[in-house]
Amino acid sequence: MKRIYLDHNATSPLREEVRAAWLEAAAGGNPSSLHAAGRRARARIDAARERVALALDVDEETVHFTSGGTESNNVALFGSMELPSADGSPAALVTSAVEHSSVLEPARVLAARGHPLSEVPVDETGRVRLDALETALARAPVRLVSIQAANNEVGTLQPLPHVARLLDDVEGARPVLHVDAVQALGRIPLDWGAWKPDLVSFSAHKVGGPPGVGILLAKPTLGLRPLSYGGGQEGGLRPGTEDVAGIVAAALAIELAVDEQVEYAARCAALVNALHADLVRALPALRVLGPALDTARLPNTLCIAVPAADELDDVARAAGKVIVTRLDLEGLEVSAGSACASGSIEPSHVLLAMGCDETTARASVRMSLGRDTDASDCQRVSAVFQKVFGVSHAT
């Protein structure tokens, strides 16, 4: 039985050309050493940084390599918020209720340390309510606003140009804008001119790169405080010996993803539309969670409420992972909510913030397509759902 992998928002398999680049660069050498092996390693990192900067159309000095999107988000939040204020008072932070846990959890830690925190609500599609954001910005002097570019669970694109305009209108110092763009890379245009970000996070393994390598774009003028100390690597922002091979491979993966973005997005959008049509024929009561398919959204992502959830036993209703396991036994690899929270029996915080009840939030399935997904894969999905949930095709 051929297995169908539809969990690319969790991780996308390592590309063969990226694997080859990793192996070639894994020859050894500490990039901080002055001998020939060290200089070769340093040159590889310098070339990778240039490659990333060219692919993303940013200045090289803004590119910092990290261990992944989670570390990039943590450095962005803690590094910004724990800088001293001019008057000594704790700075305020604003984020949204549907952010990834690697943003929400640091934000809540900062709140426990005394930083006022506003978690802006969203509408039923997962889109940030701009009126609520405007209110949050007016409550107190805000140092940092962290809003994701695209939601990993339901595919919602946030209105970053409107967010940027609201920040421009803030009296006094403009708040720093951090954008978690982990799910956006290689899937939607990165519109720096409209978004006006100061900090941006990426993760290589979402685009066929190696796990364990992330990117944080950070303007040098921010003067971020590092999370750890003990070396001057990455401009002092992320000390420790760099993963040369991982960085080289990540740079290639990012370059390829950006080069292929237009074709990838169009192909995935067409496949998602066809997949949805097949599922509706098999499951007439199926409901898409998040933005409608004919609106701006992540082109590769489809999150649905399983219409047979009411017929499932109590254990299945209590944990989306049981539904995922049933599908997995039939060769279909999908996700229930965020992969980072897949071991939890708690309902998706994203779906709850969108107004879903707990049963729907627990019995949701996310399918995310990748560069190797084809029409035959998608055609099998409805048959698998039909078999697992015992629903026959509508005639």
Side-chain angles (χ1 to χ4, degrees), residues 268-305:
C268 281
L271 288 173
V272 164
N273 286 336
L275 173 59
H276 174 255
D278 285 345
L279 283 170
V280 168
R281 282 192 289 271
L283 306 169
L286 177 144
R287 179 160 62 100
V288 173
L289 301 175
L293 295 183
D294 59 353
T295 60
R297 63 198 316 281
L298 275 183
N300 75 319
T301 303
L302 181 64
C303 184
I304 62 169

Side-chain angles (χ1 to χ4, degrees), residues 25-236:
N30 187 320
S32 295
S33 298
L34 297 179
H35 49 60
R39 294 196 302 273
R40 285 195 297 272
R42 173 55 55 193
R44 287 190 172 109
I45 292 178
D46 290 343
R49 197 182 316 276
E50 180 181 12
R51 201 168 195 169
V52 170
L54 287 171
L56 299 180
D57 192 23
V58 298
D59 293 334
E60 279 185 56
E61 63 180 357
T62 69
V63 178
H64 301 81
F65 295 110
T66 70
S67 66
T70 293
E71 185 184 12
S72 293
N73 287 341
N74 274 258
V75 172
L77 268 68
F78 286 110
S80 299
M81 296 302 298
E82 296 200 325
L83 294 170
S85 299
D87 60 1
S89 62
L93 165 67
V94 174
T95 189
S96 86
V98 295
E99 298 299 313
H100 191 270
S101 59
S102 60
V103 168
L104 283 177
E105 291 183 24
R108 291 165 185 170
V109 169
L110 287 163
R113 295 178 183 177
H115 294 276
L117 169 65
S118 296
E119 293 184 20
V120 177
V122 298
D123 64 19
E124 67 278 2
T125 71
R127 185 179 171 95
V128 168
R129 286 180 44 197
L130 293 172
D131 59 335
L133 174 58
E134 188 172 15
T135 299
L137 290 171
R139 285 196 191 118
V142 173
R143 172 174 292 172
L144 178 70
V145 174
S146 182
I147 302 291
Q148 62 191 185
N151 187 265
N152 57 303
E153 293 189 33
V154 296
T156 305
L157 306 186
Q158 296 300 348
L160 290 176
H162 298 281
V163 171
R165 285 195 287 272
L166 287 178
L167 298 190
D168 287 340
D169 291 339
V170 170
E171 292 187 12
R174 183 185 190 270
V176 172
L177 176 59
H178 168 242
V179 174
D180 175 357
V182 166
Q183 296 295 338
L185 180 62
R187 297 170 183 168
I188 63 170
L190 307 176
D191 191 349
W192 306 136
W195 295 2
K196 299 183 181 180
D198 303 286
L199 295 158
V200 188
S201 302
F202 299 105
S203 184
H205 76 103
K206 306 296 185 181
V207 292
V213 184
I215 306 290
L216 177 64
L217 303 182
K219 292 182 177 180
T221 54
L222 295 176
L224 297 180
R225 176 174 289 180
L227 297 186
S228 53
Y229 298 85
Q233 292 91 343
E234 297 306 303

